[in-house]
Amino acid sequence: MFLNNKPISEACKAEHMPMAQVALSAFLLSLERSHRAKKLVMEKGLPTMREAARCTAKHKVVQESLAKALELMCTDDIHLPLEDSEKWSTILIPWACGKVSSEKTRASATKILSCILEEYGPLTVPISQGWLTFLLSEILGTIKSNSSKGNARSKNDNVKTQISQSNISSAAQVANLLASADVNLAGNQLGTGSDSAGPFPLGDLLMQEPFVGPYKSWNRERKPNFHVVDSVVATLEGIKALTEVCSEDPLYQNLIADSGVLCLLRHYSL
């Protein structure tokens, strides 16, 4: 059993992916057939699943299966607890936005994150803002990478396909603003924060780029004078920046669509 013997987690840690995939196939079958199995895993098996998920960066098939398993558990009348949702965000957001994730993994991660935002509403603003920040940073990285390669599409039609350097520079500044705003909001909302992940549910997410700089300098003893309005302004600036850098190129528009931008916009509109 996944809950007792941790075969999936152990196989992933040992990078024995064929064994992990066999165990995951049985696990998925039990989740599809049994509502009780979903409840048991939700109550006792989430830490083990996260341990396994952290080991799957180079193993797309196993990653897809784990993402599907969590999706099966979150799309019924069972929901991830808020604290577990925050802990999972460090895995789900890169899955939704990451260039190395498969289409199936991105779809599952986007669906799970959408369920989390819908279930907990305003309490998930640090997650939704983190998602937007990560997405903007990933798109900027892709644009800069393509620009440095001097791809044929940009050379053939400079007006339509080349993003202006002013927009890129402005968007990079907004990404930094968003990261700082998310760190401040998360710290103030949850009342904790430190140099390490520790007991801070969002700590693992904030120890990743582009949050790690602002997070390391955040002082829980001397919280900055930060208000929700600052977070709203940063979010609006983020949406504007994302629109500007993607407006001239369908490639980047498709990338942000695949990474869940429509779910984010729906969440903000509500």
Side-chain angles (χ1 to χ4, degrees):
M1 263 302 277
F2 184 86
L3 296 178
N4 298 325
N5 298 326
K6 303 182 180 180
I8 299 172
S9 178
E10 290 173 0
C12 288
K13 287 179 180 179
E15 296 198 357
H16 197 320
M17 293 305 156
M19 180 183 293
Q21 189 57 43
V22 170
L24 267 168
S25 296
F27 180 55
L28 280 168
L29 189 60
S30 68
L31 291 178
E32 290 171 351
R33 293 183 174 180
S34 173
H35 185 77
R36 182 171 176 271
K38 294 180 184 178
K39 292 188 68 174
L40 285 172
V41 176
M42 190 67 77
E43 291 170 3
K44 300 179 180 179
L46 292 175
T48 308
M49 287 185 68
R50 280 197 301 276
E51 287 178 12
R54 291 189 181 101
C55 303
T56 62
K58 299 179 181 178
H59 308 285
K60 290 187 178 181
V61 176
V62 175
Q63 192 177 83
E64 287 174 3
S65 297
L66 275 167
K68 185 62 178 178
L70 193 63
E71 179 189 344
L72 285 172
M73 292 162 53
C74 297
T75 52
D76 205 339
D77 60 342
I78 305 172
H79 305 283
L80 280 171
L82 178 59
E83 185 171 325
D84 279 297
S85 298
E86 292 165 342
K87 291 177 180 178
W88 271 99
S89 67
T90 188
I91 295 169
L92 293 171
I93 290 174
W95 278 1
C97 304
K99 296 183 286 291
V100 297
S101 302
S102 71
E103 183 178 340
K104 290 181 180 178
T105 298
R106 286 198 300 271
S108 291
T110 297
K111 191 168 185 178
I112 298 162
L113 285 166
S114 298
C115 290
I116 291 170
L117 301 187
E118 183 176 344
E119 178 66 17
Y120 296 107
L123 295 176
T124 63
V125 172
I127 296 176
S128 62
Q129 192 164 279
W131 190 359
L132 177 61
T133 307
F134 203 95
L135 176 55
L136 179 57
S137 296
E138 285 292 302
I139 287 296
L140 284 173
T142 301
I143 290 172
K144 290 177 181 178
S145 175
N146 288 346
S147 177
S148 67
K149 293 175 183 177
N151 60 29
R153 297 176 70 246
S154 297
K155 290 181 177 179
N156 290 340
D157 194 347
N158 288 327
V159 175
K160 292 183 179 180
T161 65
Q162 211 172 30
I163 305 299
S164 72
Q165 289 302 311
S166 61
N167 279 349
I168 294 174
S169 177
S170 175
Q173 292 176 10
V174 170
N176 291 332
L177 173 68
L178 266 172
S180 296
D182 198 36
V183 168
N184 289 329
L185 180 64
N188 280 271
Q189 180 170 308
L190 298 172
T192 57
S194 66
D195 290 336
S196 61
F200 193 25
L202 286 167
D204 283 343
L205 174 65
L206 301 182
M207 283 300 290
Q208 298 185 51
E209 291 292 350
F211 311 100
V212 62
Y215 184 49
K216 283 186 174 181
S217 62
W218 191 85
N219 191 326
R220 63 177 173 179
E221 302 299 331
R222 292 182 297 174
K223 296 179 183 178
N225 186 19
F226 182 81
H227 300 284
V228 175
V229 173
D230 300 318
S231 178
V232 173
V233 170
T235 297
L236 292 175
E237 289 290 330
I239 294 171
K240 179 174 179 288
L242 195 60
T243 302
E244 288 175 346
V245 297
C246 296
S247 61
E248 297 295 333
D249 198 320
L251 170 65
Y252 302 133
Q253 293 167 15
N254 290 335
L255 281 175
I256 63 172
D258 291 342
S259 299
V261 71
L262 297 179
C263 297
L264 270 175
L265 292 177
R266 178 179 179 275
H267 172 68
Y268 289 133
S269 69
L270 294 175

